[in-house]
Amino acid sequence: MLEPNGPLPPEIYWRRRALAIGVIVVALAIVIWLVTMVARGGDSSGNTVAATTTTAETSSSSSAESSSTTASSSSATATSSAAATSSAAASSAAAQPAAAPCGDQSLALKVTVGQPTYRVGDQPAFGTVITNISSAPCSRDLGPGPQFLVYTLDGQRRLWASNDCNPDGPPDMKTLGAGEQLSYKGTWFGTTSQPQCAGERLQVPAGAYMVVAQLGAIRSAAEPFNLAA
């Protein structure tokens, strides 16, 4: 079967067979090459996608870790700052000594009258200012507050005191810095009074009077005013 048969010389048939075999080999080689290239292209794409995904995940993870680290660092910094501020405030408060009591020589009183003349039946308005005249802060119980006292102009007769019929208030410790002032106001109904609100309260007639402010043993200078008919 291998020997060529036909009218042509055997060399012709051998050449045709060699050419056909060569074409088949070339075709197979091309097919194998194409298959190999396709296979390599798929692997390369898959590897690229995988590499891209891994890189993205790594980048995201790094960003998340960086953000978490930054947030933690910021939180820790804020906490440390708050703690330092609180500690500094507490240390400052602890370092400040308590103010000494205000002695009578450390305070001064000044009394004022709302207007120089009122009419009988009016309610004269008084005011007083307490001043720390010392060079250091001091504290004093001002719960009772200063009292106002009305006298005849010659000072011989006391007509009214603001605490006669008003009980003292609860204790109220106040600290006054050097030169600091506190103001108080009061109103007189124009009638007489006695300690413990004893006796009858009578309308004070027209005339010249004066008012004094008092805090414990400290008294202000008298301020005159008039009641007109």
Side-chain angles (χ1 to χ4, degrees), residues 198-210:
E200 185 180 1
R201 305 190 66 177
L202 304 175
Q203 178 68 53
V204 176
Y209 303 94
M210 66 179 187

Side-chain angles (χ1 to χ4, degrees), residues 1-10 13-14 16-17:
M1 292 181 63
L2 295 176
E3 290 295 332
N5 295 316
L8 298 177
Y13 294 105
W14 284 111
R16 289 179 178 176
R17 289 180 180 180

Side-chain angles (χ1 to χ4, degrees), residues 59-226:
S59 177
S60 299
S61 177
S62 299
S63 298
E65 291 177 359
S66 177
S67 299
S68 176
T69 302
T70 302
S72 298
S73 177
S74 299
S75 177
T77 301
T79 302
S80 299
S81 299
T85 301
S86 299
S87 177
S91 299
S92 177
Q96 294 180 353
C102 294
D104 290 346
Q105 70 279 4
S106 299
L107 301 177
L109 292 182
K110 178 177 176 57
V111 70
T112 58
V113 180
Q115 59 192 58
T117 301
Y118 290 90
R119 298 186 66 85
V120 173
D122 289 345
Q123 297 180 7
F126 305 136
T128 185
V129 175
I130 304 173
T131 304
N132 177 4
I133 58 175
S134 71
S135 59
C138 63
S139 60
R140 179 106 176 201
D141 179 12
L142 297 177
Q147 59 176 313
F148 298 98
L149 302 98
V150 173
Y151 292 85
T152 55
L153 190 59
D154 58 9
Q156 297 300 312
R157 181 184 174 196
R158 196 198 78 158
L159 301 174
W160 171 81
S162 58
N163 65 341
D164 280 345
C165 296
N166 296 307
D168 292 339
D172 183 17
M173 293 298 297
K174 297 286 189 182
T175 298
L176 287 79
E180 186 176 356
Q181 297 181 326
L182 289 176
S183 299
Y184 292 84
K185 293 182 179 181
T187 301
W188 178 37
F189 292 152
T191 59
T192 60
S193 68
Q194 298 179 41
Q196 307 300 322
C197 210
E200 185 180 1
R201 305 190 66 177
L202 304 175
Q203 178 68 53
V204 176
Y209 303 94
M210 66 179 187
V211 61
V212 173
Q214 182 169 334
L215 178 65
I218 310 170
R219 291 172 65 94
S220 71
E223 186 70 17
F225 67 98
N226 300 304

